[in-house]
Amino acid sequence: MKSMRQTTLETLGLGSVLDVFKNGRLPANEAELIDKVFGPANNRGSLVITGGNGIVGSGKAMQLGSRLQPYGVPIVTLDLPDAPDGISQQYPGLKSTFGPGKAAEIMANITMLIYDGSHLPAALGDFNPRFVLEAIPEILPLKKAHYDMIRQKFPEVEIRSVTSGFPNAELGVGILHPSFPHQINKIWEVVEDKPSAITQLFLAMGLIPITVGDYWSFILDVLFCGITLAATRYHHSCNMPFWKIDKYVRRLVGPNPVRAHDAIGPGASFLTWSCLHHLTEMYGDLFSPTPELIRRKNSGENWYSSNRPVIDWELNDEEEFKSWILGSVFQMTSLMLHENRAHLTHMNAIGELCAQFSKGIVANIRDLGAEEVISRVEAYHRLHPEAAEKSWFPDAFAQMDSPEWQQLYVNAEHDGSVGVVTISRESLNWDVIDELNRAVDWLKAEGIGRVILTGDFHLSTQMIGADTSEFYPALENEQEGFRLSKAWSETARRFNDEFDVSVGFIDGKRCLGGMLELMMHCHYLISIDSAQLGMPEITLPVVPGMEGTHWAFRKAKAADLSKLTELLLSGRFVRGKDAVGWLVDFAAPVEDALKTVWALVTGSETGMARRRVNENPLEVPKEVPGLKPSGDPVIEAGRKAIMDCIQASCGTTLGQALEVQAKHSAGFMVTKPCQKGEIGSSCKKIMNI
């Protein structure tokens, strides 16, 4: 077995992606792991959440309770008598997600117990605790005493802390650090001696555990608290209002860090201060909190003023702003790289999935290159000399040519005969396209002619299409739109043109837009039967730019062409099981689908005929039965543009169709209907400050 870099599944003790297909089963089995963690069905133990009425504890009671209730695992929350009732406040969200009936069942499986903080209630023993998730206040002596109390009564119980900053070495227990918002985001930073059944169960339940090193604070906190600190430092230097700084930070790297504190609530400023306070003690003034943050740690006051003036605050020196923001965060990242805190793909993904960076911090650094990154940090040191005294590791950027740096989003493996290309990002961007090309080049150089294209069974739980921020330059420059559409389509075609057999496998909740266009270029497309498939470009609106307006048509029967047209013009989704024969080749429950993929790629007999791509012009009906007018001029303009592209790209040869569809896609992006739509509006909101 060879791979370009280590798979992230291996960090969870779950082997390679190729093993998933060879074994014909997912890497972690939920039912088996439930038994391992909580005991067999006839003697189920409970999950106990201490500090269960707090924001984190109550949110995780919902997130985990909804997943464990079908298996009969009781949820017990433990908190002080005067703690606010956070559990009942979660019910409206639970009801909106699951409906009143299912929500009531989940709530009925939660038992709330009260204790004095020093003695466990006798009733807790009746629930046979097997796993304790600790979410009490961030006071180290309090936490240690808490664990001693639990272990005295339940010596065999597994304990994990949701701590926002203390390392395992200080706590003496493993860590499951959830990202925010606590009820929604599925990311958990995991610190433990070796991969455990608990961590593997989280993956099996649809959550995303990410293993990280045992250091003070966590990657999410360093990035999120770090970008917040950088914003407040810039305010301290020039007095620009926080709301305006937030806009510039969002345009530069993605998040609104100051506004996020107001959205989370009064305790957010204290947690950020606490994180930075401990980091300062360990790593120096790079992390020292500003006076503005220190004031808010106790007051809990909002950062945004409710009566903020409408003043056009200009950015006088953009390079200085970048140095304050990027220089600070780049230096913090150098520290994490020096410590080898995590797999680089993990570190990068945490920035995107949790801290809302538009591009992960590692990818951002890779794009700029070591020389420019070091220069930016040195410029920051001229603005904040105290940061230069400690925790600056420029040598951490010396290995950017390595596969670990170069393949952050795409990996490839092979066993000498069959290869697999995995995508760990939920949306396509230029980085993914470049990494796909490098993965294909590597497999071909290794002599691999049979390949599977799929998600990574870990970080990518769905494939939601193109990263629409990549379209912003094309809104004003038609050549940029043409370049994007042509290059991305050429990459997709490699899976049709350069392998003897290619099989695309859709295993997540959904596969949409550009991701579906990419996958359909494989010789066979296999889906789990429950996956949602669709081409929602019309809702933006844009014209599909990766051959969605003709590729599937060239593989479909004449009787099915109207289904494809309706899919494009309506933007509706279709389940994998309902798309067999005209969009996908086979759909089934996951294990049957995995076995079918392996049979196809290894050349075993499946009885499944390969649907060939018609290279000649074909005629597609212009009328779409049952398609109702939208009543929206922007949508109607988008429908006309998509239909025009269908007619033009299907009406020519396969060899000419790529450029034809790229011209149509690019041409529509510079029109008013596109610019009035979601992408144009988003671009104006983010880029025009």
Side-chain angles (χ1 to χ4, degrees), residues 518-590:
L518 170 67
M519 300 293 286
M520 68 174 61
H521 280 78
C522 292
H523 301 144
Y524 298 94
L525 184 54
I526 310 301
S527 172
I528 59 171
D529 51 11
S530 60
Q532 291 183 315
L533 314 178
M535 299 287 291
E537 283 88 346
I538 186 59
T539 64
L540 299 174
V542 291
V543 174
M546 288 180 70
E547 306 199 89
T549 56
H550 76 95
W551 194 272
F553 290 83
R554 295 178 182 275
K555 296 180 73 172
K557 299 174 184 176
D560 291 328
L561 296 179
S562 61
K563 294 179 183 177
L564 290 165
T565 308
E566 197 270 341
L567 194 74
L568 286 164
L569 298 187
S570 69
R572 72 177 181 89
F573 298 166
V574 59
R575 295 287 181 185
K577 63 183 179 181
D578 299 319
V580 175
W582 57 277
L583 187 60
V584 304
D585 296 285
F586 179 80
V590 62

Side-chain angles (χ1 to χ4, degrees), residues 290-596:
T290 57
E292 291 79 6
L293 178 57
I294 294 172
R295 188 176 82 236
R296 285 169 173 80
K297 80 178 178 72
N298 291 323
S299 70
E301 66 186 275
N302 281 350
W303 293 85
Y304 276 29
S305 171
S306 59
N307 60 344
R308 69 177 190 239
V310 181
I311 300 174
D312 187 15
W313 293 81
E314 293 291 340
L315 188 64
N316 294 325
D317 188 335
E318 187 162 358
E319 289 304 307
E320 181 178 314
F321 173 75
K322 287 181 178 180
S323 296
W324 276 110
I325 305 300
L326 294 179
S328 174
V329 178
F330 288 167
Q331 182 177 350
M332 294 173 186
T333 305
S334 81
L335 168 64
M336 295 191 291
L337 293 168
H338 173 75
E339 294 174 330
N340 193 25
R341 283 202 177 202
H343 192 298
L344 291 190
T345 293
H346 285 171
M347 192 181 299
N348 196 65
I350 288 168
E352 291 185 357
L353 297 174
C354 307
Q356 302 300 301
F357 280 62
S358 52
K359 180 180 289 190
I361 191 65
V362 183
N364 200 313
I365 288 170
R366 180 182 68 182
D367 286 355
L368 292 175
E371 184 177 342
E372 185 171 342
V373 169
I374 292 170
S375 176
R376 184 64 68 186
V377 177
E378 290 172 345
Y380 170 62
H381 290 165
R382 290 191 288 274
L383 298 168
H384 183 215
E386 296 84 355
E389 296 173 2
K390 195 175 181 181
S391 303
W392 169 223
F393 301 95
D395 290 346
F397 308 120
Q399 302 298 320
M400 284 194 198
D401 290 335
S402 68
E404 288 76 18
W405 274 91
Q406 292 300 307
Q407 298 301 126
L408 297 171
Y409 302 108
V410 179
N411 194 24
E413 312 163 38
H414 74 80
D415 63 0
S417 176
V418 174
V420 59
V421 174
T422 54
I423 302 174
S424 63
R425 196 175 200 265
E426 294 185 344
S427 58
L428 280 172
N429 65 0
W430 277 106
D431 286 318
V432 175
I433 293 297
D434 290 342
E435 292 187 22
L436 279 169
N437 282 318
R438 288 195 289 269
V440 170
D441 290 344
W442 181 78
L443 286 173
K444 288 175 63 62
E446 294 284 313
I448 302 301
R450 296 172 173 270
V451 68
I452 302 165
L453 175 64
T454 185
D456 68 348
F457 296 95
H458 182 198
L459 300 175
S460 179
T461 61
Q462 58 184 344
M463 294 182 169
I464 57 174
D467 184 337
T468 55
S469 64
E470 298 283 26
F471 298 166
Y472 292 168
L475 295 171
E476 297 182 353
N477 186 334
E478 189 170 340
Q479 284 304 309
E480 278 299 304
F482 179 80
R483 182 176 75 91
L484 183 148
S485 178
K486 184 172 184 291
W488 290 20
S489 297
E490 287 172 343
T491 298
R493 281 201 180 193
R494 297 190 72 182
F495 288 92
N496 178 77
D497 298 344
E498 299 185 31
F499 293 101
D500 300 326
V501 178
S502 60
V503 184
F505 178 56
I506 298 168
D507 70 301
K509 293 181 296 184
R510 55 185 66 89
C511 184
L512 309 175
M515 283 291 192
L516 182 58
E517 291 175 279
L518 170 67
M519 300 293 286
M520 68 174 61
H521 280 78
C522 292
H523 301 144
Y524 298 94
L525 184 54
I526 310 301
S527 172
I528 59 171
D529 51 11
S530 60
Q532 291 183 315
L533 314 178
M535 299 287 291
E537 283 88 346
I538 186 59
T539 64
L540 299 174
V542 291
V543 174
M546 288 180 70
E547 306 199 89
T549 56
H550 76 95
W551 194 272
F553 290 83
R554 295 178 182 275
K555 296 180 73 172
K557 299 174 184 176
D560 291 328
L561 296 179
S562 61
K563 294 179 183 177
L564 290 165
T565 308
E566 197 270 341
L567 194 74
L568 286 164
L569 298 187
S570 69
R572 72 177 181 89
F573 298 166
V574 59
R575 295 287 181 185
K577 63 183 179 181
D578 299 319
V580 175
W582 57 277
L583 187 60
V584 304
D585 296 285
F586 179 80
V590 62
E591 291 195 0
D592 289 341
L594 287 168
K595 291 171 184 174
T596 300

